[in-house]
Amino acid sequence: MFQAALNLVRQVIMSEYPEFSDKVVGSQRRQAESLPQILGEKPRFDEYGDLRFVISDMQNAYEQRIYELEKRILDLERATRLGGKEHGELREVLGKLTNQISSHLAAHSRGRTDIASTAHIEQETLASEISRLVQQRLHSLARKCVKRTDFASAYPQREQAPRLLGAICAILLPPGQPDLGQLRALLNIPQEGSLFEEAAAVYEEALRLRRATESSSMKCVWEVECAPDSPVDLERQEIWASCHGRRTVQFLIAPGYSANGQLFLLQQVFAGP
C-alpha cells in the first residue's frame, strides 16, 4: 500500500514537472540542443587580447623612440659644450695672433709713409664712430625733440631738425664741453623717462670719443671753423643729406676731424641756395 502511494506521488510530480523525469523530454532536449551552440562560439576575450598586444607593441616602440631622442639630445649637449670650449680656446689664440700681427705691422710701418700705420687705422675707426654718432643717434634724438623746444621753432620747417642737431653737437662735441644738464635743458626733457635715458647714453658716448681723441698718439684737431654764406668746400665739408645739392653754407651741423694734418672726417654743413 505504501508503494502504491509513492508511485502515485511520482506520477503527479512528473506530470507537473517533467524536467525531473528520467526520460528525455522536450525542455531537456531543447537545453541539450542549445548547449553545443553556446560552447561552440568564439570567446570575445581573444579579440581584446590581440588589441592589448598591439597597444603594448606601440607603447614599446614609443618608449624606444623617446629613449633614442633623449640620448641624441644628451649627445648634442655634450658636443655643444666641447664646441664652446674649443671656440673659446680658438678665440684666445686668435687674439694673441692678432696682437702679434698688429705689433709687427706697427714696427714695420713706423718709418714708412706709403702704407697706413696702426695709428692711422685707429683714427679712421674713431672718425667712423663720430660720424655714426652724429648722423644716426644725435640726429634721431633731435628729430624726437624738435617739437618740444622753443629753439627750433624760430627757424623754417626744413631747418628745424638740422638746427637742433647743430646745437646738440655744439654741446657734446668741440668747441663745447659736454654737459648733460645743458643738453637736457636744450631738449626740454625731464630727468627721467626714455628721452632722458637716450640723451644720457649719447652724452656718455660723446665723452668716450673725445677721450679717445685726446689719448691718441697722433695730434688730433677738430675742424670747427665754418663761414656762413661761403661756397661749400667739398674737400673738407659734406652737405647734409636733406639739402639736395645746394652749394652755399648756411650753418655748421657737426665739426670735422683731422690728425697730423690728415683729414679723417668731413664737416657736416647745411647748405642753401
Side-chain angles (χ1 to χ4, degrees), residues 123-139:
Q123 294 304 324
E124 289 176 353
T125 302
L126 183 58
S128 177
E129 291 180 353
I130 295 170
S131 176
R132 184 163 52 250
L133 173 68
V134 172
Q135 297 190 24
Q136 296 181 13
R137 301 181 66 181
L138 297 185
H139 186 209

Side-chain angles (χ1 to χ4, degrees), residues 2-20:
F2 176 79
Q3 185 65 34
L6 182 61
N7 291 335
L8 179 60
V9 170
R10 182 178 296 172
Q11 290 177 0
V12 172
I13 292 174
M14 293 305 172
S15 63
E16 294 295 328
Y17 302 97
E19 59 269 26
F20 291 102

Side-chain angles (χ1 to χ4, degrees), residues 19-84:
E19 59 269 26
F20 291 102
S21 174
D22 294 332
K23 297 181 181 180
V24 176
V25 294
S27 61
Q28 291 174 318
R29 185 178 298 111
R30 286 193 299 273
Q31 293 174 5
E33 290 174 354
S34 62
L35 183 60
Q37 183 178 359
I38 294 174
L39 293 177
E41 289 182 354
K42 182 179 179 180
R44 292 185 177 274
F45 64 81
D46 289 348
E47 298 177 3
Y48 297 140
D50 294 341
L51 183 59
R52 284 198 299 270
F53 288 140
V54 172
I55 293 174
S56 177
D57 290 341
M58 292 176 63
Q59 185 175 3
N60 291 335
Y62 179 72
E63 291 176 352
Q64 180 64 25
R65 182 59 176 165
I66 291 176
Y67 171 77
E68 293 174 355
L69 291 175
E70 290 177 345
K71 186 176 182 299
R72 185 178 179 186
I73 290 172
L74 291 175
D75 293 340
L76 289 174
E77 290 177 347
R78 188 179 300 110
T80 300
R81 288 194 297 270
L82 292 175

